[in-house]
Amino acid sequence: MNSFSPLPGAGSEVVAFQRTELGVILSLYGRMVAAGEWRDYGISHLRDVAVFSVFRRTAENPLYRIEKRPKLRNRQGMYAVIGMEGQVLKRGQDLQAVLRVLERKLIRAVE
């Protein structure tokens, strides 16, 4: 499982993103920054969820949250993309498939 103890002997384990998962997320983040869509991010590791939040500006609420909830692995899928208003945009087992909902923002009409 992808959990670690924040302090030795603390006893409470938290959910964290693996290096491969962060690589996929940061690859998308880099492309969106280059396109001028995103500017900042934050990562939270909690007891039952790991969250990668994306911001347009630092002082705002996140535009999107990419969440990992291992308890939902056998149900709806442990990865989810959640919009600014709290709506679930995509949920599933495969992180790359879930992130495709955000990659559509990179496709623009050329005049």
Side-chain angles (χ1 to χ4, degrees), residues 27-106:
S27 173
L28 172 64
Y29 176 78
R31 291 191 309 257
M32 295 299 268
V33 167
E37 295 289 324
W38 297 349
R39 299 240 169 110
D40 199 8
Y41 71 90
I43 300 176
S44 301
H45 297 252
L46 306 171
R47 184 177 305 169
D48 59 344
V49 62
V51 182
F52 186 96
S53 302
V54 177
F55 300 89
R56 188 178 314 252
R57 291 178 195 83
T58 305
E60 292 183 345
N61 291 331
L63 289 174
Y64 301 104
R65 291 188 333 259
I66 302 164
E67 294 187 353
K68 175 182 176 181
R69 293 182 183 267
K71 288 185 179 180
L72 296 178
R73 179 184 298 123
N74 295 328
R75 294 184 205 154
Q76 304 163 350
M78 71 175 163
Y79 300 108
V81 174
I82 300 174
M84 183 185 282
E85 303 295 323
Q87 71 275 23
V88 177
L89 302 177
K90 182 87 172 173
R91 184 181 298 272
Q93 299 287 4
D94 182 25
L95 180 60
Q96 289 182 334
V98 170
L99 292 179
R100 281 192 199 116
V101 73
L102 298 176
E103 289 179 0
R104 291 185 199 146
K105 304 274 184 193
L106 287 173

Side-chain angles (χ1 to χ4, degrees), residues 6-22:
L7 297 173
S12 67
E13 293 187 0
V14 295
V15 176
F17 289 107
Q18 289 183 347
R19 185 180 298 245
T20 55
E21 295 166 334
L22 278 177

